[in-house]
Amino acid sequence: MQISWFSFSKVLFSLFILVMFIMDLAAQTLTFEEQDEGWLLLDDGKPRYFYQAATKSLDGKYPRANYIHPLYDTDGEVVTEDFPADHPHHRGIFWTWHQLWVRDQRAADPWVCENIIWEVKRVKTSIHPNGAANLEAKVLWKGTGPVKKNIIEETVVISYQRISSNAYKLVFDISLKPLVSEVRLGGSEDPKGYGGFSPRIKLSKNVGFYDENGAVVPQELAVQAGPWINVTREKAEDPGVVIMGEPEQLPSYQGWILRSENSMQNIAFPGREAILLSDKSPYLRFKNQLLVHQGLGNQEIVNQYRIFKNQP
């Protein structure tokens, strides 16, 4: 059987790309730097994200912890916002809801940081040979209002991995275990029903939203789109942040709450009707992934989503 020079060249090129990728991983240095308020991840000395473990507030208002800010792109620019003037309760990359019930009592409004604090009890960090950096935290959701109890124990694992010199991915694996009986969570009590994983990303004046099939136009209510949205400066090929989720795994999934200014982006569940948290393992578990990039093509994003979906 004869092999054409063209086919042989393709094989050589593929091997070259594989060798360069392996060499890039071998040369990569990932480190976690523990600071007074949390942990900073560095990739070859460049900041990638900061996990806020200590409680932070704005003049005593909107106390919050257990979120990511700042999140940096590969050029070192901050791409998230914390305490924005339009919605000071928004905070970087966060995940929470308006409704937290214990039996028939409204315990707190975690979305606006009311009657609740998040106490980060334990943080473990690890660096792996495949170029991944993991941060795992145990977090107590503690009621401070009408229900003064530990209500939920959260386990969050945040996994970082470089894709290329111009892109990286960040996977969030979150599990919520109720510590008292009949704990319910719900989104905003209006037709928007927002709640869940909610990145507050800096937006350009001409921000673009794209899924696998093309442009997505934000609406007042949730829009139906694919399992990922690329939020870019303007065009699909521009730098941006891709938000990925698993809609088919979410209880009472509502769709995408998208905003072109002054807000977060949200893959919303369970909507305005609160759901009962299971008191048996695996409890309520959901996963999301961010791709922070300087311009990823549609097929590259699709390939990364397939990898994300196939992770256990």
Side-chain angles (χ1 to χ4, degrees):
M1 182 178 69
Q2 292 184 335
I3 300 176
S4 69
W5 171 248
F6 176 73
S7 297
F8 184 64
S9 298
K10 285 179 67 178
V11 171
L12 282 179
F13 180 74
S14 297
L15 287 173
F16 172 75
I17 294 297
L18 178 60
V19 169
M20 292 300 292
F21 177 72
I22 292 172
M23 290 177 63
D24 183 54
L25 283 182
Q28 183 182 14
T29 301
L30 292 168
T31 54
F32 280 103
E33 185 178 285
E34 185 176 356
Q35 300 182 358
D36 290 342
E37 294 200 344
W39 277 259
L40 176 68
L41 176 67
L42 301 165
D43 186 342
D44 287 345
K46 299 176 182 177
R48 287 295 178 258
Y49 74 79
F50 185 78
Y51 174 70
Q52 182 71 38
T55 298
K56 188 177 182 181
S57 67
L58 180 66
D59 299 325
K61 298 178 181 178
Y62 315 109
R64 78 282 297 271
N66 186 40
Y67 65 100
I68 296 293
H69 177 79
L71 180 72
Y72 301 86
D73 67 14
T74 56
D75 287 339
E77 297 296 321
V78 176
V79 298
T80 51
E81 297 178 307
D82 199 11
F83 298 106
D86 51 89
H87 296 85
H89 49 278
H90 288 179
R91 58 263 199 196
I93 310 299
F94 67 107
W95 45 96
T96 197
W97 294 264
H98 266 297
Q99 300 180 60
L100 176 59
W101 296 81
V102 175
R103 300 183 182 87
D104 294 326
Q105 188 166 30
R106 184 70 168 265
D109 186 334
W111 188 269
V112 297
C113 313
E114 184 178 273
N115 294 330
I116 189 171
I117 59 171
W118 292 265
E119 183 178 332
V120 178
K121 298 294 291 183
R122 185 179 78 241
V123 174
K124 295 194 302 184
T125 61
S126 55
I127 308 297
H128 300 270
N130 65 350
N134 290 354
L135 182 149
E136 179 178 345
K138 290 284 188 184
V139 184
L140 290 179
W141 295 33
K142 306 185 71 165
T144 61
V147 179
K148 291 180 171 60
K149 293 181 178 180
N150 296 337
I151 300 172
I152 291 174
E153 179 185 75
E154 173 185 335
T155 302
V156 55
V157 180
I158 303 170
S159 303
Y160 168 93
Q161 194 163 32
R162 185 193 297 180
I163 298 172
S164 69
S165 60
N166 291 317
Y168 69 81
K169 54 189 174 183
L170 209 57
V171 178
F172 297 78
D173 188 340
I174 298 162
S175 179
L176 302 178
K177 173 185 176 182
L179 298 177
V180 294
S181 62
E182 297 183 42
V183 176
R184 290 182 291 133
L185 284 176
S188 60
E189 294 164 278
D190 57 26
K192 290 177 280 192
Y194 56 85
F197 188 75
S198 308
R200 173 72 193 223
I201 301 167
K202 289 183 178 180
L203 303 175
S204 70
K205 289 184 178 180
N206 299 311
V207 60
F209 299 88
Y210 301 89
D211 70 1
E212 186 175 358
N213 298 312
V216 178
V217 179
Q219 306 291 332
E220 177 65 19
L221 303 182
V223 298
Q224 299 306 310
W228 55 264
I229 293 288
N230 189 14
V231 184
T232 71
R233 290 179 186 168
E234 182 176 1
K235 301 175 183 177
E237 62 271 19
D238 285 349
V241 177
V242 184
I243 307 168
M244 294 181 169
E246 297 180 304
E248 71 283 359
Q249 302 294 330
L250 298 176
S252 302
Y253 170 62
Q254 301 296 300
W256 289 90
I257 299 291
L258 302 176
R259 297 290 182 264
S260 57
E261 61 180 5
N262 297 340
S263 193
M264 52 80 213
Q265 317 302 327
N266 177 224
I267 182 165
F269 81 98
R272 65 199 301 179
E273 298 297 326
I275 59 168
L276 183 69
L277 293 190
S278 172
D279 58 1
K280 294 180 174 59
S281 180
Y283 312 110
L284 173 61
R285 182 186 178 196
F286 57 99
K287 292 168 58 183
N288 293 89
Q289 178 170 271
L290 300 179
L291 304 181
V292 182
H293 64 90
Q294 297 298 332
L296 281 179
N298 191 72
Q299 190 57 51
E300 293 176 279
I301 298 173
V302 170
N303 291 342
Q304 288 297 327
Y305 185 73
R306 287 175 181 159
I307 295 171
F308 167 65
K309 280 287 294 175
N310 289 328
Q311 291 176 338

